[in-house]
Amino acid sequence: MNHDNQTLSFFHRYHLGSLAYVTTLIVLFLVTLSQKAPTHIILIPLSLAFISILIDAIKNILEKKITTEFFLVFATIIGLIAQQEQAITVVLLIMLIAKYFEKLIEEKTDRAIASLITLIPTKVRLKKDTQEVIIALEDVQEGMKIIVKTGEQIPVDGTIIQGNAHVNESFLTGESIPKEKSVSDHVFAGTFIENGMIIILAQKVGASTFFG
């Protein structure tokens, strides 16, 4: 049962149904080219690709949005009038391929943000006068001074007012090498202190942070 769930999750994560659909259209189109098929056969991959674009265009119009799909519908009609079936089919297939990879990238980004949110601590160390006080993250307000030490996640967006540390910002920059941060430098919620200790003046908390 667990294996079936993993297979289903993999299928949905990479949208294998959409990938199979686009691949089939490409193969069908290449076959029609190699066989020098008549026009009514060439129209099969074109029509199937056009239907997908048309559905997206209609959905976006209903949401009061004018997108690329909307203009592609008109381009397809003009291409058919001009008897440029092969050219417009290529354009539609490229659009479907682009949309497939765009969807993968969007979902990967969403998963990364979701996993980042789970990394943000629920408790923070507050500097109050000369003492350290532990409070809940939801109680943090702008202007509070937050202490973050080695091995801890930074819970807020803010500016360092004391100390220095090597901060891992790989999810922001893609670089695994930590950056050295000191007084006046900005830091972001969800980043990780590999070494050092800093006191941050909280400027954005909760949903108002860079990643919300």
Side-chain angles (χ1 to χ4, degrees), residues 121 123-128 133 135-137 139-141 143-149 152-157 159-162 187 193 197-203 205:
K123 301 287 185 179
V124 300
R125 190 180 292 106
L126 174 69
K127 181 176 176 60
K128 194 172 184 180
V133 180
I135 64 172
L137 178 60
D139 293 331
V140 175
Q141 298 178 5
M144 287 184 170
K145 298 176 182 178
I146 307 300
I147 301 172
V148 189
K149 300 181 180 180
E152 296 179 348
Q153 299 287 145
I154 295 175
V156 299
D157 291 357
T159 303
I160 299 175
I161 58 174
Q162 184 178 328
V187 290
I193 293 187
M197 189 277 289
I198 55 177
I199 298 177
I200 306 166
L201 180 65
Q203 295 173 323
V205 300

Side-chain angles (χ1 to χ4, degrees), residues 86-149:
Q86 292 182 350
I88 199 64
T89 300
V90 171
V91 172
L92 293 176
L93 290 175
I94 291 175
M95 182 63 181
L96 290 178
I97 294 171
K99 284 172 63 64
Y100 172 76
F101 284 105
E102 180 184 18
K103 187 67 175 178
L104 289 183
I105 293 171
E106 285 180 356
E107 293 188 353
K108 184 177 180 180
T109 302
D110 290 341
R111 289 194 299 271
I113 293 174
S115 62
L116 172 65
I117 292 174
T118 63
L119 293 176
I120 298 177
T122 57
K123 301 287 185 179
V124 300
R125 190 180 292 106
L126 174 69
K127 181 176 176 60
K128 194 172 184 180
D129 297 326
T130 59
Q131 296 182 324
E132 293 184 11
V133 180
I134 304 297
I135 64 172
L137 178 60
E138 57 265 27
D139 293 331
V140 175
Q141 298 178 5
E142 295 180 13
M144 287 184 170
K145 298 176 182 178
I146 307 300
I147 301 172
V148 189
K149 300 181 180 180

